Amino acid sequence: MRAVVQNDKNRAARALGALLAVAAVVSGCAGPGDEAGVRPAAGQQAHRGAAAPDDHAALVAAARRWRLDEVPLRPPAPPKYRPRITARDGFEVDGQVEDDLPPVFTTIPTRKKVVFLTIDDGAEKDPDFLRMMSELRIPYTAFLSNYLVKDDYGYFRRMQAEGHTLNNHTLTHPYMPGLTYDEQKHEICGMQDIMKRQFGRAPTVFRPPYGNYDGDTLRAAKACGIKYAPIWDEEVYVDHWEYREWDRSLHPGDIVLTHFRGRNEWDGTMVDDMRRFLNKVTRDGYAVARLEDYL
């Protein structure tokens, strides 16, 4: 009799195990060796996709905490095939195509209602900004100049650890067309060396200071390992927006510029600046996507 009972228990255990296995497959659970367990590479931001109900509740709470008008929209999945990036019409230099120079562009070719947030130089190092963007899960790309970031590389390492990409904005932020080719190459390659030493990698994306460049700038950038030279289509300040296009509107794929600035230069903080940025893009139906997912 005990043997029969034991056999019944064994059969029940096996049946339960089978049910759990089926449930695991249905729910998409994965073990340590499965794809779901793969972590993103260092310095890369994992795609977060649609928010789960509890995750959405956290975003609602974060939006309220940072006094946003609405919860920022979630970006779509990165494109399976990345768009072909070319120089914007009128922004080419002599030899652009023949010498395969890094393209200068202001917008990513996409029909998705996404924009890309880029932040220049590194002067202001506001810890509240880091917390805000982390809690709201907003991706952005930083373009760094060494003379402004060298007093606190750690601040930008924390940024990088959250998945945000750090790119080249020269050593000293000069007017590049006013320099010789060798001087421009020193500004770009010198910053490449510092970024590799301080942040573990030399970037392939470079923004010329003030958005000013010439053929020597792009040739020097290419010699330093640069593949892309994005500038911007809109610029947001703590108290207003500025536009490149006549219609003064956002467009799918636009690159938006702002700066690391605080109350010593602006009438507000980086948090105030981001509140203005996020309120407008959300109101206009745009999500903030990660630039490097489209390059």
Side-chain angles (χ1 to χ4, degrees), residues 21-77:
V22 171
V25 171
V26 172
S27 65
C29 294
D34 295 326
E35 184 177 350
V38 176
R39 297 174 58 112
Q44 301 297 309
Q45 182 171 353
H47 172 63
R48 296 175 172 113
D54 58 338
D55 188 43
H56 182 70
L59 292 175
V60 170
R64 186 180 302 116
R65 182 161 50 253
W66 295 104
R67 295 188 290 114
L68 300 184
D69 294 341
E70 302 175 70
V71 177
L73 299 173
R74 296 291 90 198

Coordinates of all heavy atoms in Angstrom, one line a residue, residues 21-77:
A21 N 7.2 23.4 -16.6 CA 8.0 23.6 -17.8 C 7.3 24.2 -18.9 O 7.7 25.1 -19.6 CB 8.6 22.2 -18.2
V22 N 6.0 23.8 -19.1 CA 5.1 24.4 -20.1 C 4.9 25.9 -19.7 O 5.0 26.7 -20.6 CB 3.8 23.6 -20.2 CG1 2.8 24.4 -21.1 CG2 4.0 22.2 -20.8
A23 N 4.6 26.1 -18.5 CA 4.4 27.5 -18.1 C 5.6 28.4 -18.3 O 5.5 29.5 -18.7 CB 4.0 27.6 -16.6
A24 N 6.8 27.8 -18.1 CA 8.0 28.6 -18.3 C 8.1 29.0 -19.8 O 8.5 30.1 -20.1 CB 9.2 27.8 -17.9
V25 N 7.8 28.0 -20.7 CA 7.9 28.3 -22.1 C 6.9 29.4 -22.5 O 7.2 30.3 -23.2 CB 7.7 27.0 -22.9 CG1 7.6 27.3 -24.4 CG2 8.8 26.0 -22.7
V26 N 5.6 29.2 -22.0 CA 4.6 30.1 -22.4 C 4.9 31.5 -21.9 O 4.7 32.5 -22.6 CB 3.2 29.6 -21.8 CG1 2.2 30.7 -22.0 CG2 2.8 28.3 -22.5
S27 N 5.4 31.6 -20.7 CA 5.7 33.0 -20.1 C 7.0 33.6 -20.6 O 7.3 34.7 -20.3 CB 5.7 32.9 -18.6 OG 6.9 32.1 -18.2
G28 N 7.8 32.8 -21.4 CA 9.0 33.4 -22.0 C 10.2 33.4 -21.0 O 11.1 34.1 -21.2
C29 N 10.1 32.6 -19.9 CA 11.2 32.5 -19.0 C 12.4 31.9 -19.6 O 12.3 31.1 -20.5 CB 10.8 31.6 -17.8 SG 9.4 32.4 -16.8
A30 N 13.6 32.3 -19.2 CA 14.8 31.8 -19.8 C 15.8 31.6 -18.7 O 15.8 32.3 -17.7 CB 15.4 32.8 -20.8
G31 N 16.6 30.6 -18.9 CA 17.6 30.2 -17.9 C 18.9 31.1 -18.1 O 19.0 31.9 -19.0
P32 N 19.9 30.8 -17.3 CA 21.1 31.7 -17.4 C 21.8 31.6 -18.7 O 22.5 32.6 -19.1 CB 22.0 31.1 -16.2 CG 21.1 30.4 -15.3 CD 19.9 29.9 -16.2
G33 N 21.7 30.5 -19.5 CA 22.3 30.4 -20.7 C 21.5 30.9 -21.9 O 21.9 30.8 -23.0
D34 N 20.2 31.3 -21.7 CA 19.4 31.7 -22.7 C 19.5 33.2 -23.1 O 20.1 34.0 -22.4 CB 17.9 31.4 -22.4 CG 17.7 29.9 -22.2 OD1 18.3 29.1 -22.9 OD2 16.9 29.6 -21.3
E35 N 18.9 33.6 -24.2 CA 19.1 34.9 -24.8 C 18.6 36.0 -23.8 O 19.2 37.0 -23.7 CB 18.3 35.0 -26.1 CG 18.5 36.4 -26.7 CD 17.7 36.4 -28.1 OE1 17.2 35.4 -28.5 OE2 17.6 37.5 -28.6
A36 N 17.5 35.7 -23.0 CA 17.0 36.7 -22.1 C 18.0 37.1 -21.0 O 17.9 38.1 -20.4 CB 15.7 36.2 -21.5
G37 N 19.0 36.2 -20.8 CA 20.0 36.4 -19.8 C 21.2 37.2 -20.3 O 22.1 37.5 -19.5
V38 N 21.3 37.5 -21.6 CA 22.4 38.2 -22.1 C 22.4 39.7 -21.7 O 21.4 40.4 -21.9 CB 22.4 38.1 -23.7 CG1 23.6 38.9 -24.3 CG2 22.5 36.6 -24.1
R39 N 23.5 40.2 -21.2 CA 23.6 41.6 -20.8 C 24.1 42.4 -21.9 O 24.9 42.0 -22.8 CB 24.5 41.7 -19.6 CG 24.0 41.0 -18.3 CD 25.0 41.1 -17.3 NE 25.4 42.5 -17.0 CZ 25.1 43.0 -15.8 NH1 24.4 42.4 -14.9 NH2 25.4 44.3 -15.6
P40 N 23.7 43.7 -22.0 CA 24.3 44.6 -23.0 C 25.8 44.8 -22.8 O 26.3 44.7 -21.7 CB 23.5 45.9 -22.9 CG 23.0 45.9 -21.5 CD 22.8 44.4 -21.1
A41 N 26.5 45.1 -23.9 CA 27.9 45.4 -23.7 C 28.1 46.7 -22.9 O 27.2 47.5 -22.8 CB 28.5 45.7 -25.1
A42 N 29.3 46.8 -22.3 CA 29.6 48.0 -21.4 C 29.4 49.2 -22.2 O 29.8 49.4 -23.4 CB 31.0 47.9 -20.9
G43 N 28.7 50.2 -21.6 CA 28.5 51.5 -22.3 C 27.3 51.5 -23.3 O 27.1 52.5 -23.9
Q44 N 26.6 50.4 -23.4 CA 25.5 50.3 -24.3 C 24.2 50.2 -23.5 O 24.2 49.6 -22.4 CB 25.6 49.1 -25.2 CG 26.8 49.1 -26.1 CD 26.9 50.3 -27.0 OE1 25.9 50.5 -27.7 NE2 28.0 51.0 -27.0
Q45 N 23.2 50.9 -24.0 CA 21.9 50.9 -23.3 C 21.0 49.8 -23.8 O 20.7 49.7 -25.0 CB 21.2 52.3 -23.5 CG 19.9 52.4 -22.8 CD 19.4 53.8 -22.9 OE1 20.1 54.7 -23.4 NE2 18.2 54.1 -22.4
A46 N 20.5 48.9 -22.9 CA 19.6 47.9 -23.3 C 18.3 48.5 -23.7 O 17.8 49.4 -23.2 CB 19.4 46.9 -22.1
H47 N 17.7 47.9 -24.8 CA 16.4 48.3 -25.2 C 15.4 47.9 -24.2 O 15.3 46.7 -23.8 CB 16.1 47.8 -26.6 CG 14.7 48.0 -27.0 ND1 14.2 49.3 -27.2 CD2 13.6 47.2 -27.2 CE1 12.9 49.3 -27.5 NE2 12.5 48.0 -27.5
R48 N 14.5 48.8 -23.8 CA 13.6 48.5 -22.7 C 12.2 48.1 -23.2 O 11.5 47.5 -22.5 CB 13.5 49.7 -21.8 CG 14.9 50.0 -21.1 CD 14.8 51.3 -20.2 NE 16.0 51.4 -19.5 CZ 16.8 52.4 -19.6 NH1 16.7 53.3 -20.6 NH2 17.9 52.5 -18.8
G49 N 11.8 48.6 -24.4 CA 10.6 48.2 -24.9 C 9.4 48.7 -24.1 O 9.5 49.7 -23.4
A50 N 8.2 48.1 -24.3 CA 7.0 48.5 -23.6 C 7.2 48.2 -22.1 O 7.7 47.2 -21.7 CB 5.8 47.7 -24.2
A51 N 6.6 49.2 -21.4 CA 6.7 49.0 -19.9 C 5.7 48.1 -19.4 O 4.5 48.0 -19.8 CB 6.5 50.4 -19.3
A52 N 6.1 47.2 -18.4 CA 5.1 46.4 -17.7 C 4.3 47.2 -16.8 O 4.6 48.4 -16.5 CB 5.9 45.3 -16.9
P53 N 3.1 46.7 -16.4 CA 2.3 47.5 -15.5 C 2.9 48.1 -14.3 O 2.8 49.3 -14.0 CB 1.2 46.5 -15.1 CG 1.1 45.5 -16.2 CD 2.5 45.4 -16.7
D54 N 3.7 47.4 -13.6 CA 4.4 47.9 -12.4 C 5.5 48.9 -12.8 O 5.7 49.9 -12.2 CB 5.0 46.8 -11.5 CG 6.0 46.0 -12.3 OD1 5.9 45.9 -13.6 OD2 6.8 45.3 -11.6
D55 N 6.1 48.7 -14.0 CA 7.1 49.6 -14.5 C 6.5 50.9 -14.9 O 7.0 52.0 -14.7 CB 7.8 49.0 -15.7 CG 9.0 49.8 -16.2 OD1 9.8 50.2 -15.3 OD2 9.2 49.9 -17.4
H56 N 5.3 50.8 -15.5 CA 4.6 52.0 -15.9 C 4.2 52.9 -14.7 O 4.3 54.1 -14.7 CB 3.3 51.7 -16.7 CG 2.5 52.9 -17.2 ND1 3.0 53.7 -18.2 CD2 1.4 53.4 -16.8 CE1 2.1 54.7 -18.4 NE2 1.1 54.5 -17.5
A57 N 3.8 52.2 -13.6 CA 3.5 52.9 -12.4 C 4.7 53.6 -11.9 O 4.5 54.8 -11.4 CB 3.0 51.9 -11.3
A58 N 5.9 53.0 -12.0 CA 7.1 53.7 -11.6 C 7.4 55.0 -12.4 O 7.8 56.0 -11.9 CB 8.3 52.8 -11.6
L59 N 7.1 54.8 -13.7 CA 7.3 56.0 -14.6 C 6.3 57.1 -14.3 O 6.6 58.3 -14.4 CB 7.2 55.5 -16.1 CG 8.3 54.6 -16.6 CD1 8.0 54.1 -18.0 CD2 9.6 55.3 -16.6
V60 N 5.1 56.7 -14.0 CA 4.1 57.7 -13.6 C 4.5 58.5 -12.4 O 4.4 59.7 -12.3 CB 2.7 57.0 -13.4 CG1 1.7 58.0 -12.8 CG2 2.1 56.5 -14.7
A61 N 5.0 57.7 -11.4 CA 5.5 58.3 -10.2 C 6.7 59.2 -10.4 O 6.8 60.3 -9.9 CB 5.8 57.2 -9.2
A62 N 7.6 58.8 -11.3 CA 8.8 59.6 -11.6 C 8.3 60.9 -12.4 O 8.9 62.0 -12.1 CB 9.7 58.8 -12.5
A63 N 7.4 60.8 -13.3 CA 6.9 62.0 -14.0 C 6.3 63.0 -13.0 O 6.5 64.2 -13.2 CB 5.9 61.6 -15.1
R64 N 5.6 62.5 -12.1 CA 5.0 63.3 -11.1 C 6.1 64.0 -10.2 O 6.0 65.2 -9.9 CB 4.0 62.5 -10.2 CG 3.2 63.4 -9.2 CD 2.3 62.5 -8.4 NE 1.3 61.8 -9.2 CZ 1.3 60.5 -9.3 NH1 2.1 59.7 -8.6 NH2 0.4 59.9 -10.1
R65 N 7.1 63.2 -9.8 CA 8.2 63.6 -8.9 C 9.0 64.8 -9.6 O 9.4 65.7 -9.0 CB 9.1 62.5 -8.6 CG 10.2 62.8 -7.6 CD 10.7 61.6 -6.9 NE 11.0 60.5 -7.8 CZ 10.3 59.4 -8.0 NH1 9.2 59.2 -7.2 NH2 10.7 58.4 -8.8
W66 N 9.2 64.6 -10.9 CA 10.0 65.6 -11.6 C 9.1 66.7 -12.3 O 9.6 67.5 -13.1 CB 10.8 65.0 -12.7 CG 11.9 64.1 -12.0 CD1 11.9 62.7 -11.9 CD2 13.0 64.5 -11.3 NE1 12.9 62.2 -11.3 CE2 13.7 63.3 -10.8 CE3 13.6 65.7 -11.0 CZ2 14.9 63.3 -10.1 CZ3 14.8 65.8 -10.3 CH2 15.4 64.6 -9.8
R67 N 7.8 66.7 -11.9 CA 6.8 67.7 -12.3 C 6.7 67.9 -13.8 O 6.6 69.0 -14.4 CB 7.2 69.1 -11.7 CG 7.1 69.1 -10.2 CD 7.3 70.4 -9.5 NE 8.7 70.9 -9.6 CZ 9.0 72.0 -10.3 NH1 8.1 72.6 -11.0 NH2 10.2 72.4 -10.3
L68 N 6.6 66.7 -14.5 CA 6.3 66.7 -15.9 C 4.8 66.8 -16.1 O 4.0 66.4 -15.3 CB 6.8 65.5 -16.6 CG 8.3 65.2 -16.5 CD1 8.7 64.0 -17.3 CD2 9.1 66.4 -17.0
D69 N 4.4 67.3 -17.3 CA 3.0 67.4 -17.6 C 2.4 66.0 -17.9 O 1.2 65.8 -17.6 CB 2.8 68.3 -18.9 CG 3.1 69.7 -18.6 OD1 3.2 70.1 -17.4 OD2 3.4 70.5 -19.6
E70 N 3.2 65.1 -18.5 CA 2.7 63.8 -18.9 C 3.9 62.8 -18.7 O 5.1 63.2 -18.6 CB 2.3 63.7 -20.3 CG 1.1 64.7 -20.7 CD 0.9 64.6 -22.2 OE1 0.3 63.6 -22.6 OE2 1.2 65.6 -22.9
V71 N 3.6 61.5 -18.7 CA 4.6 60.5 -18.7 C 5.3 60.5 -20.1 O 4.5 60.4 -21.1 CB 4.1 59.1 -18.4 CG1 5.1 58.1 -18.5 CG2 3.4 59.1 -17.0
P72 N 6.6 60.6 -20.3 CA 7.2 60.5 -21.6 C 6.9 59.2 -22.3 O 6.7 58.2 -21.7 CB 8.7 60.6 -21.3 CG 8.8 61.3 -20.0 CD 7.6 60.8 -19.2
L73 N 6.7 59.4 -23.6 CA 6.4 58.2 -24.5 C 7.6 57.3 -24.6 O 8.7 57.7 -24.6 CB 5.9 58.7 -25.8 CG 4.7 59.6 -25.9 CD1 4.4 60.1 -27.3 CD2 3.5 58.8 -25.4
R74 N 7.3 56.0 -24.7 CA 8.4 55.0 -24.8 C 8.7 54.9 -26.3 O 7.9 54.8 -27.2 CB 7.9 53.6 -24.3 CG 7.6 53.5 -22.8 CD 8.9 53.7 -22.0 NE 9.2 55.1 -21.7 CZ 10.3 55.5 -21.3 NH1 11.4 54.7 -21.2 NH2 10.5 56.8 -21.0
P75 N 10.0 54.8 -26.6 CA 10.4 54.7 -28.1 C 10.1 53.3 -28.6 O 10.1 52.3 -27.8 CB 11.9 55.0 -28.0 CG 12.4 54.5 -26.7 CD 11.2 54.9 -25.7
P76 N 9.9 53.2 -29.9 CA 9.8 51.9 -30.5 C 11.1 51.1 -30.5 O 12.2 51.7 -30.1 CB 9.4 52.2 -32.0 CG 10.0 53.5 -32.2 CD 9.9 54.3 -30.9
A77 N 11.0 49.8 -30.8 CA 12.2 49.0 -30.9 C 13.2 49.6 -31.9 O 12.8 50.2 -32.9 CB 11.9 47.6 -31.2

